[in-house]
Structure formats: C-alpha cells, structure tokens
Amino acid sequence: MSTLLDTARAAPPAEAPKPAPAGEASEFIARYAALATPRYTSYPPATAFHAGVGEADRRAWIAALPAGSRLSLYVHIPFCASLCWYCGCHMTVVNRPEPVERHLAALMREIDAIGAVVPEECAVARVHFGGGTPNSLTPEQFERLIGHLRASFDFAPDAEIASELDPRTLTPAHIEALGRAGLTRASLGVQDVSEDVQRLIQRIQPFEQVEAAASGLRAAGVASVNLDLLYGLPGQTVAHVRRSAEAAISVKPDRLAVFGYAHVPWFKKHQRAIDASKLPGGAERLAQADAAAATLMAAGYERIGFDHFALPHDALAEAARAGALRRNFQGYTEDDCCALLGLGASAVTATPSGFCQNQPHIGAYEETLMAPRMTGADTREQDAPAGPTVRGLGLTLTDRLIGAAIERLLCDFTVDLEAVAAAHDFEPAVFDGALERAQAIARDGLVSIEGRRLSVTARGRPYARVAAAQLDPDWSPEPTKHSVSV
C-alpha cells in the first residue's frame, strides 16, 4: 500500500457539495441518489463472498502474514438491551447474564485459536469493539475480555483501543472499567436528537445521556470521543438533521460519522416495523446530508470522504490531508495495519490473501467453538480445523488492483489509474473499460477525466459510491442487493 500512497495525490480541500441545477434536480437525483451501490468497505464487496472459503483458509492466510506485521482486531459483541428498528447490524436482544457469559466463553476460544496462528513479532496496533452493544458486557466481563486479548496477542505499546458504546446503558461502572482497560477512543450512537424521530425508530435517548457519557469518558482518560448521526430516517427533515448536528457540536467530538439510513427490509426483517411512507425521498435525503455537512464544516470540522468529519487535529483529518486515508469494514480510517482480524459472530477478517466471515448466527457460532473436535472417516474432515468461518473470498491480482483504485478514489476523490496499474504490474490500459463506463457520469458532471486520472467533482461528492462503481466491472444496480447511494 505504501507504493500507492506515494503515487496518490492528496485530496483537494473539501468544498460544500454543489446541487444539480434546479431545472434538472429531480431527474438528476432520481437517476443517481436512489441508485443501489456497494459501500465499498471492501473489494470485492461482501455480497461476493461464498461458502467455498472456510476456517482452514483463514488460518493459512493469517499464518502467511509477514513476521513483524502490525495488526488490527475487530471484536463483535452481538447483544443489545433493546431493538432499534433502523439497525442493520448482526445482533440479538438479551436481558439475562447467562447467554452473554456463554457467548464470551466461545469468543475467548476463538481468540485463543487465532492468536496461536499469528506469526511471531506481529503486534496489535488497533482494537475495535463493535456490535451490537459492547457495553452489554458487564464491566467485569469487558475487563476480562481485554485481558484475554492481551494474553493471546502481543500489543504495541501505543495500541489504540476503541469501542462503540450505547449512552442509554453506559453506567459509571462501565466508564471506570473502560478507563482501566486503556480505552483510547469511544464512539457514541446518537442518530437523531428529536424525540418524534426517535419514537419512529424505537430508540428514545435524551441528549443529556450523550453529554453525560462524553463527559464521564473524558474524565476517565478516554482521549477521543466520536459521535454517529443518521439522516434519511422516518419522519426526519432537514431541520431535524441540522438540530442533531448542532447538538453534536456542543459535545465537541473529535470526529463524527454521518451515515444515510439504509432501508433494507428484505435483509433485516425488523426494519419492516418502520413505516416506509414516512421515509424521505432522494431529494430530501440529499438535502439532509448537505445540511449536516454544512453545519459541521461551519463549526470547523473537516470533511473526510463522503460520510465522516473530523477536527483538524484528529488523526483522521491528518491522514486525509496526507493522502494516507484508508477504507475498511469500519469505514474511513487512518489504520495502516496490513490485516484486520475479525473475532466474534459475523466478524470479517481481511488479509492480503482474502476475506473470511464468521458464522453470523450466534447459536451456531457458539456451537462450533464449544463442541468437541469432530472426527470422521474422511481425512480432510479430520484435518480441517474447527472454527466459525462460513464464507469468504480469495483475492486475485486483479481484485487487489481494482480494490486499490476504488479505495484511493473514495479516500482522495481522485486517482491516477495509470500509477495504480504500474504499482500492481498491470498495463495502463487495464482501466480503459472503467474510464469508458465513467464517461456517462462525466457528462452529468459527477466526475472529471484527464488522461487516466479520474476525479470526483464537488457536485459528485454525494454520489462518490456511484463513481467508485464505474471501476467495478461486476457492479450492477440491483435494488435488493445494495443500499441507495445517498
């Protein structure tokens, strides 16, 4: 990746997005905002994963990492105290300690197994706890889990430890435990601060809970606090989004993520509880995204990619200015590690050799890890390591090439395709088909093409995923496969 970063041009200063001319706005938005595209947190996207990849592949790919590599860990905690109707995560509601303790035992077995195959002198530089709700663990369980990770992996002295947290269930005892565990970054889910919207998504959360959580975490030594907002929710208007952004600014977060709600009831059946007639249309979603961006940028936040914002001192903003921004399954990141090891139900492992996803069904995940080792007449079955990997994808040289180009386009909003091809030992013409496909959106002003340099225009930034899709030879706008682009 360092070669690509050397050839990438740093992103131009972020500008406020420019709307389509008034006369064509509705047709323009209908054509692009509602277009279904991957989020491209990986290439190929997770929709391309298949059952031909298993646990043996995951362990082999991890074992093949260069000695001394810096690693990231993602740890998935799949439990929540209640169900938010907008949620797109792999989770389940639980209000008893026994299921959580049983799952924690299985998770620790997976940690032991993966820690044992990591090459020598590899150091964990980043840990991210996601979910679900990581603070569905008790304070004692969270500290025990952190201790188990430290015992199974070598941690770099300056390792970042981050966690998503639900302010509604974050207790003073949790905050004390997180401080003792060395948490350096916390992400608090806000979504929208208005009660009328909160009722429509079944997530009542007075903003005072967010303020108390942020204050308590900072007092406990957590250096960075992030907030997550959503637009495109049922009943939401530009005024709602602007009010939520202004409230978020009052907490002085170091960075914010502003995501568009992905309504995928064919994939997440509980989203059927949302009244689809109350969902904003494409023009309104775009106006909401613009309002959030304008409000945050006016307060001094720098725009990072198409859905993140950060204060100038934040490492994410520094990486963006240096052309070193990255994109992985957590979205935009300054993470420069060579591999991301996913632990827990549904978690994804990303290595230079390929992607592996764990069993998303919590019961099946636990059964695989807690059951005695299977034996049978088939030698291959005997030799296959027990583990939760159920699907994935081995990466070809072409996959790496296209993935690198898409990452640079989404991170820098410009990519020198000839330089990317050279860095991967391909002829420059390998991208000529993509440039030909991009001509149509260039005519609509979403991108500019200069030789083999493809750049997203200010007008095209809200539609950056559409621009990235032109580099993906397998993309098709299937409405039940991906979420809308804006």
Side-chain angles (χ1 to χ4, degrees), residues 79 94 96-108 136-138 140-142 144 366 370:
F79 303 113
V94 66
R96 296 183 297 112
E98 293 83 8
V100 178
E101 188 62 39
R102 180 173 63 247
H103 189 78
L104 191 59
L107 176 58
M108 288 183 176
S136 60
L137 299 180
T138 66
E140 182 275 332
Q141 286 172 331
F142 195 94
R144 182 157 34 107
E366 294 170 356
M370 300 304 291

Side-chain angles (χ1 to χ4, degrees), residues 112-183:
D112 290 341
I114 297 305
V117 299
V118 169
E120 292 184 0
E121 300 179 3
C122 289
V124 170
R126 292 174 180 271
V127 183
H128 184 92
F129 294 91
T133 305
N135 53 298
S136 60
L137 299 180
T138 66
E140 182 275 332
Q141 286 172 331
F142 195 94
E143 288 189 276
R144 182 157 34 107
L145 177 56
I146 282 276
H148 203 82
L149 287 167
R150 291 187 182 277
S152 299
F153 298 92
D154 291 329
F155 275 49
D158 60 345
E160 176 178 287
I161 302 175
S163 183
E164 300 166 13
L165 300 169
D166 186 340
R168 299 172 300 168
T169 56
L170 187 66
T171 66
H174 276 117
I175 291 173
E176 291 176 8
L178 293 168
R180 287 193 299 269
L183 195 75

Side-chain angles (χ1 to χ4, degrees), residues 238-307:
V238 166
H240 284 111
V241 171
R242 188 177 292 115
R243 179 170 179 250
S244 296
E246 290 169 348
I249 290 166
S250 71
V251 178
K252 298 181 174 59
D254 297 272
R255 63 178 73 161
L256 301 99
V258 184
F259 299 123
Y261 165 59
H263 190 59
V264 288
W266 60 87
F267 179 58
K268 292 295 179 181
K269 291 182 172 53
H270 59 260
Q271 289 188 354
R272 296 173 184 173
I274 286 178
D275 184 349
S277 70
K278 295 184 181 296
L279 292 173
E284 175 67 14
R285 283 176 66 97
L286 182 59
Q288 291 176 13
D290 288 350
T295 303
L296 295 172
M297 292 170 69
Y301 287 86
E302 295 183 6
R303 191 167 194 168
I304 312 296
F306 57 83
D307 57 13

